[in-house]
Amino acid sequence: MSIVVVVGMQWGDEAKGKVVDYLAQDADYVVRYNGGNNAGHTVVIGDEVFKFHTVPVGVLNEGVTAVITDGVVFDPSVFVGELEGLRKRGITADRIKISGNAHVIMPYHRLLDRLEEEYKGNGKIGTTGRGIGPCYADKMSRTGIRVWDLVDLDRFRARLTQCLQQKNKIITSVYGADPLDEATIYEEYAPYAEVVRPYVCDTTTVLVEAARECANIVFEGAHGSLLDIDHGTYPFVTSSHCVSGGACVGTGVGPTAIDRVIGVAKAYTTRVGAGPCPTELKDAVGDRIRERGREYGTTTGRPRRCGWFDAVAVRYAARVNGVCSIALTLLDVLSGFDMVKICVAYSIDGKETTEFTTDVDALWRAVPIYEELPGWKEEITDARVFEDLPAAARRYVDRISKLVGVPICLVGVGPRRDQTIVLDGEVLQM
Ligand code: IMP
């Protein structure tokens, strides 16, 4: 019986959904602890592709309770849409629980997200435009609307009146945009409240009791460590705690309950939106990785910036998350290169360092120092045990593990559930 945190070690999109889905086969609970519908998780089962933004991936597994906890920002319109989509495909999504403490993403959050980005001009972050930052800002300013408020319609109306007055002043006076209409928002949100209400509860109590009863729990981190509000490349980050510690903050389950942290890293690097990415390749190699890896955002469809694996960044992520084992995904994407590269150090202002920095000004100036390894020509999507991989691919995996200083428990060789090589079954055992 165990409690495992799955966390992204790069700038998001590390194929965490696949790893969570693997663990969920033996889990009782799969829990989202941060972020909102700015995240996108894709799971491929057989020929079926499932994309999730708000509902935890675990919902696909019978017997699993999917939990949206306190640390999440919750867009009821997206939730209701995902629920309908699942039902149409015959998936009963009854085992979902939503924390009353989660903050509700409102139409003014989405509008302010866009207006703030426009206002920043060249300094924009390249957000997903889903209202995430403004919603978390309201949470911290103690002016947010929580799910408890949403499902009590009298309370919701009163909170909406109060909040919208202030937001409309900002929208009109600061940004010169049109104000939002209270009645329209209420009419849109009141029906959502009816759908959401049966799922709402005190999820902390549910999870703490489940932990006491030795349930198998997977905490599903959204985004990636380098997008963490404190430990990422601020200000080019999202507004939540993406690191493993966020699992405790976001759920109310204490750190001593957690058994393991599995970090998920791609065999190369991607980043969406603005901000430094030292190993980014703006050439044919980057394009090739993007096309082979289908590196287009699950949420926004934006092309992802692609580059070689950055061992400096991933070693930092291993440290801030306390990662005990790595799931290395999308190795198949690198097939066909004569040679592959791993960034082993940065040169910043002529000084060589193997330490990552969250001083973004310095990171912009970081020039990657690469180690070159032989590539492999063979497609590896049919490999099912480590020995099936070409020697060069095995060497690449081993080298990453050595440079990051953490063993590898799983290698992903394709998007399907079965396209997985397990190196350490014990770590992956719930
Ligand atoms: P926000 O989370 O929409 O505020 O966006 C802030 C930054 O985080 C932007 O650069 C986004 O592209 C990035 N971001 C947010 N969520 C994800 C994700 O799930 N994967 C990759 N990038 C993300």
Side-chain angles (χ1 to χ4, degrees), residues 18 22 44 46 294 328-332 380-385 410-422:
K18 180 174 166 141
Y22 184 93
V44 183
R294 293 170 294 273
L328 189 71
T329 57
L330 291 133
L331 184 67
D332 53 301
I380 57 171
T381 45
D382 291 331
R384 292 295 176 269
V385 291
L410 177 155
V411 176
V413 291
R416 289 201 321 262
R417 201 183 245 181
D418 64 305
Q419 290 175 313
T420 303
I421 297 174
V422 173

Side-chain angles (χ1 to χ4, degrees), residues 122-366:
N122 283 343
K124 73 177 182 187
I125 290 161
T127 70
T128 59
R130 302 298 192 259
I132 306 300
C135 186
Y136 276 113
D138 274 1
K139 170 177 171 167
M140 291 304 178
S141 307
R142 293 150 295 175
T143 52
I145 295 180
R146 302 200 293 177
V147 170
W148 297 127
D149 304 320
L150 172 69
V151 297
D152 176 339
L153 285 178
D154 288 339
R155 218 156 102 184
F156 179 65
R157 187 81 205 221
R159 295 286 301 124
L160 177 61
T161 305
Q162 208 178 26
C163 296
L164 194 61
Q165 258 173 20
Q166 187 210 17
K167 296 300 176 201
N168 271 341
K169 276 194 184 147
I170 298 171
I171 289 164
T172 54
S173 313
V174 177
Y175 297 108
D178 292 335
L180 296 180
D181 179 53
E182 186 185 318
T184 309
I185 297 178
Y186 182 80
E187 276 155 31
E188 184 197 344
Y189 273 58
Y192 298 151
E194 302 308 318
V195 180
V196 170
R197 191 175 297 116
Y199 301 104
V200 180
C201 64
D202 168 357
T203 53
T204 295
T205 302
V206 170
L207 291 172
V208 169
E209 273 172 16
R212 202 174 295 135
E213 283 161 18
C214 299
N216 287 329
I217 306 177
V218 182
F219 289 118
E220 170 188 334
H223 324 298
S225 308
L226 305 176
L227 289 171
D228 182 277
I229 186 75
D230 286 318
H231 304 289
T233 49
Y234 189 93
F236 302 102
V237 291
T238 189
S239 301
S240 65
H241 298 291
C242 309
V243 295
S244 59
C248 298
V249 178
T251 63
V253 174
T256 49
I258 289 167
D259 296 297
R260 287 192 296 290
V261 177
I262 297 178
V264 187
K266 269 181 195 178
Y268 49 92
T269 302
T270 63
R271 171 158 209 172
V272 203
C277 180
T279 62
E280 181 179 8
L281 296 165
K282 293 178 181 164
D283 60 10
V285 175
D287 292 345
R288 185 187 154 94
I289 293 176
R290 182 176 310 107
E291 294 316 312
R292 278 190 62 91
R294 293 170 294 273
E295 292 294 354
Y296 295 87
T298 317
T299 304
T300 58
R302 289 180 288 180
R304 296 179 184 140
R305 301 155 63 194
C306 299
W308 295 120
F309 187 87
D310 185 341
V312 178
V314 175
R315 189 169 53 248
Y316 165 78
R319 199 176 72 203
V320 291
N321 288 293
V323 164
C324 63
S325 195
I326 294 177
L328 189 71
T329 57
L330 291 133
L331 184 67
D332 53 301
V333 172
L334 294 185
S335 290
F337 285 109
D338 291 331
M339 165 270 294
V340 283
K341 295 187 187 183
I342 300 175
C343 169
V344 293
Y346 299 149
S347 170
I348 302 177
D349 304 330
K351 267 198 185 156
E352 197 173 314
T353 176
T354 54
E355 287 298 317
F356 190 71
T357 175
T358 48
D359 173 355
V360 156
D361 277 358
L363 201 59
W364 277 121
R365 300 194 302 278

